Amino acid sequence: QVQLVESGGGLVQAGGSLRLSCAASGRILTIGTMKWYRQAPGTQRDMVASISRGGTTNYVDAVKGRFTISRDNAKNTMYLQMNSLKPEDTAVYYCNADHIATRAGSVFEAWGQGTQVTVSS
């Protein structure tokens, strides 16, 4: 069974920084694309950034130049460095991974439980 566990959320003042981590476990061999999503109260869950297994990255315009996504394939871990945070970045942040190959078979997609990020003005 594949599990994704996020950590690193918290409360920060506007202009501050946070680093989120997403650790995958479950007899994993390889992971395809990994993504960060966020969901503010009353809104839909939207993708923030993605990174392929080879390291190709994509960002939504709202976070370009402020957020950096990265991953360590050897550790099955993904990161999101968030700088110059704004109150509108406040949300629950979720990690997502697809095309996960494990010793017990393949998993199409997995989600983490989410971590709260709150940016005060």
Side-chain angles (χ1 to χ4, degrees):
Q1 183 176 356
V2 173
Q3 285 191 318
L4 302 181
V5 178
E6 301 99 335
S7 61
L11 173 63
V12 65
Q13 288 189 331
S17 298
L18 284 174
R19 189 191 194 212
L20 305 183
S21 298
C22 170
S25 62
R27 305 172 70 192
I28 293 172
L29 297 172
T30 60
I31 301 174
T33 299
M34 301 186 78
K35 302 175 183 177
W36 286 102
Y37 285 76
R38 67 185 180 187
Q39 186 171 22
T43 70
Q44 65 182 19
R45 189 177 298 185
D46 292 323
M47 193 190 77
V48 174
S50 67
I51 183 166
S52 70
R53 178 167 179 79
T56 300
T57 60
N58 282 290
Y59 302 89
V60 295
D61 287 345
V63 307
K64 282 181 180 177
R66 300 189 297 122
F67 291 9
T68 302
I69 189 172
S70 61
R71 64 190 285 175
D72 184 334
N73 290 332
K75 296 181 179 179
N76 294 322
T77 301
M78 174 177 63
Y79 307 96
L80 186 67
Q81 178 66 43
M82 305 186 294
N83 298 328
S84 302
L85 282 161
K86 304 175 181 180
E88 51 263 44
D89 295 318
T90 295
V92 178
Y93 284 71
Y94 298 89
C95 68
N96 170 277
D98 66 26
H99 295 92
I100 306 164
T102 77
R103 290 180 173 84
S106 296
V107 175
F108 176 69
E109 185 179 48
W111 287 90
Q113 82 291 348
T115 185
Q116 177 70 46
V117 171
T118 302
V119 183
S120 64
S121 57

